[in-house]
Amino acid sequence: MIAVDCEGLACVVGEPGKSLSASGDMSFASGQATRETNAAARALFDIGATRVIVWDSHGDGSNLVFNHLDPRCEIMLGNGFDRRFPGLDQNYCAVLMIGYHAMEGTRGGVLAHTYSHWAYQEIRVDGEVLGEIELDASVAGELGVPLIFLSSDDHGCSEAKHFMPWIETVSTKYGLGRNCAHSKHPRTAEEEIYAGVRQSIARLNEMQLFTLRPPVNMQIQYKKTIQALKSAVRRPGWRMTGIRTLSAALPSMLKWRC
């Protein structure tokens, strides 16, 4: 399964004060996400994959130019799924992340955030700050499926390598700020993704599972108190442990709802 976000793509920087989805950059991002995903899918098929599912994981889950995707792919899209990596199970041999980004607060990270730039200040598990790269990877890991490849800006790649040093990464750009970067040419990024995915499959037996030991003690710190109060109503079992913080002990990351 290839999970596709949009902030970590080549030549995508968004606009100041806006989420990527609300910026004029989104039109290009949709096309580039499709091209980078095709590079990854082509590598998988060329090396012998018999089935590749593309999960559009950005925002409302309807961002890729679907009719331009490699027709051999199947597509998971939309929102309202009951967990991250919908449909993933132990029958999959690997997951890949295309266009992911560094966590909220990462200095120099292009469009860095954790699930919601507007809502979340940070998310901690057992006191350690994690981003959506790690949180999503832990869902796959709990299902027995390793994350083997990630493309992002250099900050996202460094973050992923810190927690999962075994994975293959491709840096599409060098983040110089929230809305600025020194990017590789889109075609260069696509070529490097193709090669990186092939390398990750060649190293498949070296890949490990990234998991969080249950109970998963999670804290969500919101940017505003009103956001925390509203979320407390929508999150049964979570409790307010600060004026902007909700906490819960999840029995499984399969229960995580972002």
Side-chain angles (χ1 to χ4, degrees):
M1 184 175 284
I2 306 174
V4 187
D5 210 343
C6 291
E7 288 86 355
L9 307 165
C11 292
V12 171
V13 294
E15 295 180 47
K18 295 183 179 181
S19 68
L20 175 60
S21 296
S23 78
D25 213 7
M26 192 61 212
S27 177
F28 172 79
S30 293
Q32 186 58 21
T34 305
R35 291 184 288 272
E36 292 187 17
T37 301
N38 278 341
R42 188 172 69 255
L44 293 173
F45 284 120
D46 285 354
I47 211 164
T50 56
R51 193 179 184 202
V52 174
I53 289 79
V54 172
W55 169 37
D56 188 330
S57 68
H58 178 81
D60 64 3
S62 183
N63 307 281
L64 298 170
V65 185
F66 299 115
N67 62 325
H68 289 175
L69 276 174
D70 188 312
R72 294 171 291 181
C73 293
E74 301 167 47
I75 306 164
M76 194 76 71
L77 69 158
N79 55 29
F81 295 111
D82 62 0
R83 63 171 169 84
R84 305 294 287 177
F85 280 110
L88 188 72
D89 60 30
Q90 66 275 11
N91 293 309
Y92 288 74
C93 68
V95 296
L96 300 81
M97 294 178 176
I98 296 292
Y100 268 62
H101 51 80
M103 68 175 75
E104 177 71 33
T106 301
R107 185 171 182 175
V110 179
L111 296 163
H113 65 281
T114 303
Y115 293 117
S116 170
H117 170 65
W118 305 112
Y120 301 145
Q121 185 66 41
E122 66 177 23
I123 297 177
R124 290 179 178 265
V125 174
D126 291 329
E128 184 168 29
V129 180
L130 300 180
E132 61 192 83
I133 294 171
E134 298 79 48
L135 294 168
D136 280 2
S138 73
V139 174
E142 188 170 325
L143 291 164
V145 186
L147 173 66
I148 66 170
F149 177 86
L150 172 133
S151 65
S152 181
D153 71 2
D154 59 318
H155 300 283
C157 291
S158 294
E159 177 186 321
K161 281 284 196 179
H162 172 74
F163 290 99
M164 295 162 280
W166 55 85
I167 69 171
E168 288 287 332
T169 63
V170 165
S171 175
T172 60
K173 58 196 172 193
Y174 303 95
L176 303 175
R178 176 170 175 78
N179 299 109
C180 53
H182 178 179
S183 181
K184 294 175 180 175
H185 190 282
R187 289 184 184 175
T188 299
E190 294 157 34
E191 290 169 359
E192 291 186 7
I193 287 169
Y194 176 87
V197 170
R198 288 186 66 103
Q199 179 63 18
S200 71
I201 292 294
R203 297 181 51 241
L204 190 58
N205 63 352
E206 302 173 27
M207 300 298 172
Q208 302 176 35
L209 301 176
F210 180 76
T211 57
L212 299 173
R213 182 178 299 176
V216 182
N217 296 301
M218 186 177 290
Q219 288 184 326
I220 304 175
Q221 185 179 90
Y222 290 81
K223 294 192 173 182
K224 296 181 179 179
T225 301
I226 188 63
Q227 294 169 326
L229 291 169
K230 289 181 177 179
S231 186
V233 175
R234 299 193 302 267
R235 291 181 182 270
W238 290 72
R239 66 190 189 282
M240 295 281 294
T241 54
I243 60 171
R244 293 185 289 119
T245 305
L246 293 186
S247 300
L250 303 181
S252 163
M253 279 304 291
L254 303 184
K255 300 295 184 181
W256 163 237
R257 309 286 184 272
C258 64

